[in-house]
Amino acid sequence: PMGSERMEMRKRQMSTTQETPGAAQAQHSTGNRGSNACCFCWCCCCSCSCLTVRNQDEERTRTSHELQAESIPNCEESPAPTLEEVNAWAQSFDKLMLTPAGRNAFREFLRTEFSEENMLFWMACEELKQESNKSVIEEKARLIYEDYISILSPKEVSLDSRVREVINRNMLEPSQHTFDDAQLQIYTLMHRDSYPRFMNSAIYKDLLRSLSEKSIEA
């Protein structure tokens, strides 16, 4: 009896072993079908609605990536600052922030202090205010939130809890002014904290000296 049981078990094992390659081959075939055709249709995959959905998803992803690239602007194009302009930066933070050359110089300084995200956030908010298309506003607002407001972002800016609550409420229906309170808070932070150090930095002093020397030579 024991021998017959062992024989029976052996037959079952051999039967299972023989069935396994076939099953694996069937799974492989099914997997290939899934990668080469939409859903499970073979003859009409080109007109399958899944392709439309896939194309729409790819378009949304491409648009999202393009907007994300725009949300991290490079240095603004601007003519070289004049001596008068650079002297004006020392008069007030507002005058510094009014000119692209001033913002570029200040942003270069912020980069040395590892706080460039403050300027990037402020610039992104300014760009958002120029938008009028509702879908673009919503997408840009989402990217700004992910880049500068989310606690998971390495570029998170420093905001108090009250402003964060305002933003969370505003994000229910984003507009050009969703981040106005936060933008003002970051502007004030840069003014009070970073601006005085910028005025005493080598970046500003070297630029001022270079322009002064050129002025004397002229």
Side-chain angles (χ1 to χ4, degrees), residues 6-32:
R6 286 176 183 172
M7 288 286 293
E8 188 65 23
M9 289 177 65
R10 214 172 267 176
K11 286 180 182 178
R12 290 176 185 169
Q13 290 175 350
M14 291 177 66
S15 176
T16 303
T17 304
Q18 290 173 353
E19 290 175 3
T20 301
Q25 187 174 1
Q27 289 178 354
H28 181 68
S29 176
T30 302
N32 286 340

Side-chain angles (χ1 to χ4, degrees), residues 14 30-31 62 81 95 128 146 158 162 183-184 212:
M14 291 177 66
T30 302
R62 184 163 55 250
K95 290 184 177 180
L128 180 64
E146 291 177 356
S158 179
R162 179 192 66 80
Q183 186 187 20
L184 177 60
S212 297

Side-chain angles (χ1 to χ4, degrees), residues 105-113 194 197-198 201 203:
F106 187 53
R107 180 177 167 185
E108 182 183 350
F109 168 74
L110 292 177
R111 192 178 295 120
T112 67
E113 292 200 335
S194 304
R197 290 198 298 274
F198 169 70
S201 69
I203 291 176

Side-chain angles (χ1 to χ4, degrees), residues 8-178:
E8 188 65 23
M9 289 177 65
R10 214 172 267 176
K11 286 180 182 178
R12 290 176 185 169
Q13 290 175 350
M14 291 177 66
S15 176
T16 303
T17 304
Q18 290 173 353
E19 290 175 3
T20 301
Q25 187 174 1
Q27 289 178 354
H28 181 68
S29 176
T30 302
N32 286 340
R33 183 185 305 174
S35 62
N36 293 328
C38 304
C39 302
F40 296 99
C41 55
W42 284 74
C43 60
C44 59
C45 65
C46 290
S47 60
C48 178
S49 61
C50 292
L51 283 177
T52 304
V53 174
R54 186 185 304 170
N55 289 338
Q56 290 174 347
D57 288 342
E58 289 175 354
E59 182 65 27
R60 280 196 295 267
T61 301
R62 184 163 55 250
T63 302
S64 177
H65 287 326
E66 289 171 356
L67 286 173
Q68 193 160 16
E70 291 175 6
S71 71
I72 308 177
N74 295 319
C75 288
E76 299 174 82
E77 292 185 5
S78 67
T82 64
L83 179 59
E84 290 74 19
E85 285 179 326
V86 175
N87 279 321
W89 299 350
Q91 297 173 13
S92 73
F93 184 59
D94 290 341
K95 290 184 177 180
L96 168 69
M97 292 290 283
L98 276 175
T99 64
R103 291 191 293 270
N104 284 337
F106 187 53
R107 180 177 167 185
E108 182 183 350
F109 168 74
L110 292 177
R111 192 178 295 120
T112 67
E113 292 200 335
F114 305 99
S115 58
E116 184 185 13
E117 66 274 3
N118 289 332
M119 177 64 81
L120 292 175
F121 171 68
W122 185 88
M123 292 171 65
C125 291
E126 287 296 294
E127 289 184 4
L128 180 64
K129 290 177 181 178
Q130 307 304 316
E131 292 293 343
S132 57
N133 184 288
K134 188 174 186 296
S135 61
V136 174
I137 289 172
E138 291 176 350
E139 182 66 9
K140 283 198 171 186
R142 181 184 65 80
L143 291 174
I144 290 173
Y145 187 94
E146 291 177 356
D147 284 344
Y148 305 109
I149 309 300
S150 172
I151 60 175
L152 300 177
S153 173
K155 296 183 292 183
E156 177 195 6
V157 295
S158 179
L159 300 170
D160 61 37
S161 58
R162 179 192 66 80
V163 171
R164 286 184 176 276
E165 289 175 4
V166 170
I167 292 174
N168 289 333
R169 287 197 302 269
N170 290 344
M171 286 298 292
L172 296 175
E173 192 173 348
S175 72
Q176 299 101 316
H177 305 289
T178 293

